[in-house]
Amino acid sequence: MVDGLLKFIDEAHSANGGASAPIKPTHRVPFHWPPHPISYDYHVLASDWTGKAQFDAHGKTFDVKVARTPMGVFGRCEEIWNEARGDTLEQMLDALREGCTPYFERQRVIAKTLGQEGLFEGQIIDLPALGLVKLLYCTDRDVAHDAHTIIETKASTGLFTDALIEVLRDRKHPARRIAQWCVLDMFEDLPAFCATPDSQNKAILAIRDLIWSAEDDYARTIYKAGVVLGGHVCTETAADALIACVAAPSRVGRRAAIHAVFHLNEWMPSRKDAILKALEKAASSDEEPQLREFAACMVRDIESGAAEHVTEPVFPDEA
């Protein structure tokens, strides 16, 4: 599966002209389907559906059941589970085709992510393991979320472990921040996916390297990486990795680490001295004035035993 994933990443990188910068994802918009059936609002009876019609979209022909009533012409496409109403048959078919646009777009983007033509005609849950991992990169974040949810149910198989770690190591796919956020969310329960100390350490180092080298914090992925190490994994290896990231070359990585060590201190108070030492150094020498102040505030919050911490800064070019 890792070989297939690396080929998928390389192909996307090449299609993007060899550019390595990630795209900035939009927010997830949950997909709700089917829409409310309009025939229910007009009390169209089962016996009214006596006609037949068709409409074409995306190279396919869809069958439509038709009901002609005093309230208008109603159409039902059972293949897509959508309905529409119009004053004429033509108006109804146009409205039905238009109303199916969100469904078509979702099926189109799934097919595109999988490297297929046309519309995806299956069910996400029926995809092979590699197909599910590929969909973590889908630019429709709700599709990525659905793949993420299915993969979570198969965590204990160990089938996905190496591929998910490879997603965190990805530095080429333009949509990688979407996939990496999903993996980090799954790795909040790291032992579920990584059953051995060796696989857990590989995942921790991949998260550390993601924080260390991040050029951006698109989709709050780098923030999430810090939260995973400092608020969920909380092993000695994770603590060492996170504390080291307080001095990472990446400013967004340092910001994530400065935030996350506050929570690491809550879960692993034995590391308090090392955490404070790293924060104090950042407070005096970080090249970013905002991060110097952020680190100094975190020192005060930790030393005072505060239950809450100061909000992390937003850099001017992120606003």
Side-chain angles (χ1 to χ4, degrees), residues 239-293:
D240 289 341
L242 183 60
I243 293 169
C245 286
V246 173
S250 163
R251 64 174 185 164
V252 294
R254 297 196 302 277
R255 179 177 62 188
I258 291 168
H259 160 253
V261 292
F262 177 90
H263 300 290
L264 178 66
N265 178 69
E266 293 178 315
W267 292 105
M268 298 183 69
S270 62
R271 303 306 298 268
K272 180 177 179 179
D273 289 345
I275 291 168
L276 288 174
K277 182 178 179 180
L279 288 173
E280 287 164 353
K281 183 176 181 181
S284 64
S285 61
D286 196 287
E287 64 185 31
E288 292 283 346
Q290 288 176 285
L291 294 184
R292 291 198 297 271
E293 176 62 22

Side-chain angles (χ1 to χ4, degrees), residues 46-66:
S47 57
D48 292 331
W49 298 96
T50 58
K52 294 182 180 180
Q54 293 179 326
F55 74 90
D56 296 326
H58 299 271
K60 287 191 62 180
T61 298
F62 296 89
D63 292 329
V64 179
K65 289 186 175 180
V66 178

Side-chain angles (χ1 to χ4, degrees), residues 25-214:
T26 57
H27 295 294
R28 176 192 166 204
V29 178
F31 180 73
H32 300 293
W33 200 266
H36 175 70
I38 192 170
S39 65
Y40 286 18
D41 298 334
Y42 288 84
H43 307 291
V44 178
L45 302 176
S47 57
D48 292 331
W49 298 96
T50 58
K52 294 182 180 180
Q54 293 179 326
F55 74 90
D56 296 326
H58 299 271
K60 287 191 62 180
T61 298
F62 296 89
D63 292 329
V64 179
K65 289 186 175 180
V66 178
R68 297 179 182 273
T69 76
M71 291 80 70
V73 181
F74 293 82
R76 173 184 292 167
C77 180
E78 293 185 343
E79 182 176 348
I80 302 176
W81 290 105
N82 194 21
E83 294 185 356
R85 171 184 172 273
D87 293 334
T88 66
L89 178 66
E90 290 73 21
Q91 286 182 0
M92 178 274 289
L93 290 174
D94 287 344
L96 185 57
R97 185 186 299 104
E98 180 66 24
C100 291
T101 297
Y103 175 88
F104 291 143
E105 178 56 25
R106 180 180 172 90
Q107 301 308 95
R108 185 198 64 78
V109 76
I110 292 173
K112 182 179 179 181
T113 305
L114 295 173
Q116 301 172 0
E117 298 293 331
L119 300 177
F120 175 70
E121 297 183 10
Q123 299 294 323
I124 293 176
I125 197 170
D126 296 327
L127 286 171
L130 179 57
L132 289 170
V133 175
K134 288 179 178 180
L135 285 191
L136 296 179
Y137 287 85
C138 187
T139 53
D140 181 333
R141 295 186 68 183
D142 192 64
V143 172
H145 171 78
D146 284 354
H148 163 187
T149 301
I150 295 166
I151 291 170
E152 277 189 316
T153 68
K154 304 173 184 290
S156 62
T157 66
L159 179 63
F160 294 90
T161 300
D162 291 342
L164 297 182
I165 292 172
E166 200 62 47
V167 170
L168 296 177
R169 293 173 176 160
D170 180 9
R171 300 295 183 270
K172 295 193 292 185
H173 197 293
R176 62 184 178 271
R177 292 291 184 250
I178 299 168
Q180 288 166 343
W181 192 96
C182 290
V183 172
L184 290 165
D185 196 59
M186 288 186 266
F187 279 7
E188 288 185 356
D189 186 9
L190 190 62
F193 287 90
C194 302
T196 67
D198 180 62
S199 62
Q200 289 180 25
N201 288 339
K202 286 180 180 177
I204 289 167
L205 294 179
I207 298 171
R208 179 202 65 186
D209 292 346
L210 181 62
I211 296 172
W212 191 265
S213 61

